[in-house]
Amino acid sequence: MGKLIVISGPSGAGKGTVVQALLELYKTNNSKVHLSISATSRIPRVGEVDGVNYYFISESEFLEKIKEGAFLEYNQYGTGKYYGTLKSHVFEYLDKDYDVILEIDINGYKQVISNYPDAVGIFIAPPSLEVLEQRLRDRGTETEENIKKRLETAKSEMENKEIYPHIIINEDGKVLDAAVEVYNIIKDK
Ligand code: 5GP
């Protein structure tokens, strides 16, 4: 049986880059890992492929699956669209001894832990909210309003980070160090 790993952290904390470096570490060590593919009721964007970026399903199918208890966790966002992690998808890999990585928010983590208490929760934090703000501004892709919104969300996520047994600070330019820390936590379990 593989291990179920939940990785959360505010947007701008560098979660995605740490996860990519983590996948590389698994590869280097010939260790089995799978980055979970979520299901969503939103329509695919140009270039997105069903079963690669997401499992794209209709809203009625999504609601049916909620009723069946098919999700390990799910959420409906402001857009009205649903996103969730299918139990069948995760267990297909855990049963084959793959560690499965979920990149989800704190709300999703709470649901995962109540359904599967053996899951390992890891929070990737920026060195400070000031650094996070700078990173969001440096991206140059966000509007002022968006930056404010993301900072608000980040602030409340940072205030709740203690529910994660592991908190990793992703220092500037130290992505590999953060990924190695995450890898060692997982392998120690
Ligand atoms: P997007 O539509 O840009 O791909 O994703 C919108 C939001 O859905 C992002 O904040 C993303 O983290 C969230 N999301 C994607 N997959 C899942 C999932 O499986 N569960 C939950 N709870 N949120 C997800």
Side-chain angles (χ1 to χ4, degrees):
M1 192 77 171
K3 294 163 196 160
L4 181 59
I5 316 299
V6 176
I7 299 190
S8 304
S11 146
K15 198 181 15 168
T17 353
V18 172
V19 168
Q20 284 313 315
L22 178 66
L23 297 179
E24 285 301 317
L25 283 175
Y26 267 88
K27 219 171 45 194
T28 315
N29 289 285
N30 276 324
S31 226
K32 295 203 277 190
V33 69
H34 176 71
L35 182 60
S36 176
I37 301 166
S38 307
T40 181
S41 67
R42 83 152 161 77
I43 53 163
R45 296 184 187 126
V46 175
E48 285 185 331
V49 177
D50 184 44
V52 175
N53 304 92
Y54 283 104
Y55 293 107
F56 295 100
I57 61 178
S58 67
E59 181 170 320
S60 59
E61 203 179 330
F62 205 106
L63 294 173
E64 194 52 42
K65 287 191 184 296
I66 293 175
K67 237 194 264 165
E68 289 167 6
F71 287 105
L72 196 55
E73 62 81 37
Y74 72 91
N75 206 354
Q76 185 185 26
Y77 292 99
T79 52
K81 300 299 176 194
Y82 289 93
Y83 295 80
T85 309
L86 286 164
K87 288 178 185 166
S88 57
H89 176 72
V90 165
F91 283 99
E92 179 190 336
Y93 285 92
L94 289 179
D95 288 344
K96 289 190 287 194
D97 298 327
Y98 281 76
D99 288 349
V100 176
I101 315 280
L102 304 185
E103 216 190 300
I104 53 173
D105 63 8
I106 209 157
N107 178 287
Y109 173 60
K110 286 181 186 164
Q111 295 175 57
V112 170
I113 272 300
S114 76
N115 283 318
Y116 193 83
D118 282 345
V120 183
I122 300 173
F123 188 90
I124 308 284
S128 67
L129 283 170
E130 289 70 29
V131 171
L132 185 80
E133 179 168 359
Q134 199 52 51
R135 287 182 189 170
L136 289 174
R137 291 192 187 285
D138 289 347
R139 277 186 188 174
T141 53
E142 313 281 335
T143 61
E144 187 59 31
E145 192 193 338
N146 237 324
I147 292 178
K148 290 231 168 73
K149 236 188 260 164
R150 282 177 191 260
L151 282 174
E152 276 306 303
T153 312
K155 204 169 155 219
S156 89
E157 283 173 331
M158 292 287 276
E159 280 162 4
N160 286 301
K161 65 181 185 307
E162 306 302 331
I163 70 164
Y164 290 80
H166 306 282
I167 300 169
I168 306 286
I169 316 274
N170 184 21
E171 304 282 356
D172 278 333
K174 298 261 172 80
V175 170
L176 188 58
D177 289 358
V180 168
E181 264 188 81
V182 174
Y183 188 76
N184 289 337
I185 289 168
I186 300 170
K187 292 303 168 188
D188 275 353
K189 287 281 159 192

